[in-house]
Amino acid sequence: TVQLHAQPANFQPDANYRRTRTCRAIDEAIALARASGTRVVLVSGPSGSSKTYAARHAAHRLGLPQYLLEISGATTAEDLIDRPWADEDRRLVWIEQGLTRAARTGGVVILDEFDLASARLLGRLHSIFDSQGSLRLSSGEEFVPHKDFLVIACCNGLRRDGGGSYSTQSISSAFLGRAVFVAANYLSA
């Protein structure tokens, strides 16, 4: 049995917020991702550069439900996909989490502090990040994500070197090959 738990995050943009270069770059990356069949936009920049707010603003403009999921080294696939629970009759049920809800219904998942994700978590997410991939739930169900499903992963630690390559200690090259990259900087119009 699967029960629904995750609800979209409520986001109302600040009326005084001006779209920045980062916002425009995320919009362009989303358009490129959709045109190429990619499900992931990776936004990297220094701490405090409003990456997450710009990502939430971009998701809001798409008009799709958004799920803001904070990542840490302790985050597991259960935290993002589905989690076991005993119902009132002590039967095992699976509670769908934000990533699964967005994949099923066509929402945007914003993975904040993505560079803190463990290698094990990244390995579990590879199949859904692949443009032709699917998501297998703990209940045994497997499905192809909705055509509007999108992940915007925000991180502090990713940099592009002069040769166009990416350098990081925690995000694999297999993941990077599935993403459209946005370099964020401190706010500027």
Side-chain angles (χ1 to χ4, degrees), residues 6-134:
Q7 297 298 317
N10 184 19
F11 178 76
Q12 292 300 319
D14 182 333
N16 297 319
Y17 182 72
R18 291 188 351 217
R19 287 186 64 229
T20 62
R21 279 186 239 169
T22 299
C23 285
R24 290 187 291 275
I26 291 172
D27 289 343
E28 291 169 10
I30 289 170
L32 179 60
R34 287 188 162 178
S36 65
T38 300
R39 294 184 179 145
V40 182
V41 171
L42 181 63
V43 183
S44 179
S47 182
S49 60
S50 295
K51 300 175 297 291
T52 303
Y53 190 86
R56 295 192 76 192
H57 204 274
H60 178 77
R61 285 191 306 280
L62 290 173
L64 298 172
Q66 61 178 273
Y67 298 81
L68 177 61
L69 306 175
E70 302 284 337
I71 303 296
S72 75
T75 302
T76 66
E78 286 181 343
D79 297 325
L80 305 180
I81 298 171
D82 57 3
R83 155 178 308 285
W85 194 258
D87 69 9
E88 60 275 353
D89 296 325
R90 295 181 162 201
R91 290 179 302 196
L92 178 65
V93 296
W94 295 97
I95 309 292
E96 290 189 352
Q97 301 299 305
L99 187 121
T100 303
R101 294 302 308 143
R104 196 181 287 284
T105 62
V108 178
V109 171
I110 299 168
L111 298 175
D112 198 20
E113 305 296 343
F114 186 70
D115 47 329
L116 300 178
S118 68
R120 183 178 179 143
L121 176 61
L122 290 176
R124 178 69 171 87
L125 297 178
H126 273 253
S127 65
I128 195 169
F129 289 162
D130 184 35
S131 62
Q132 303 299 313
S134 60

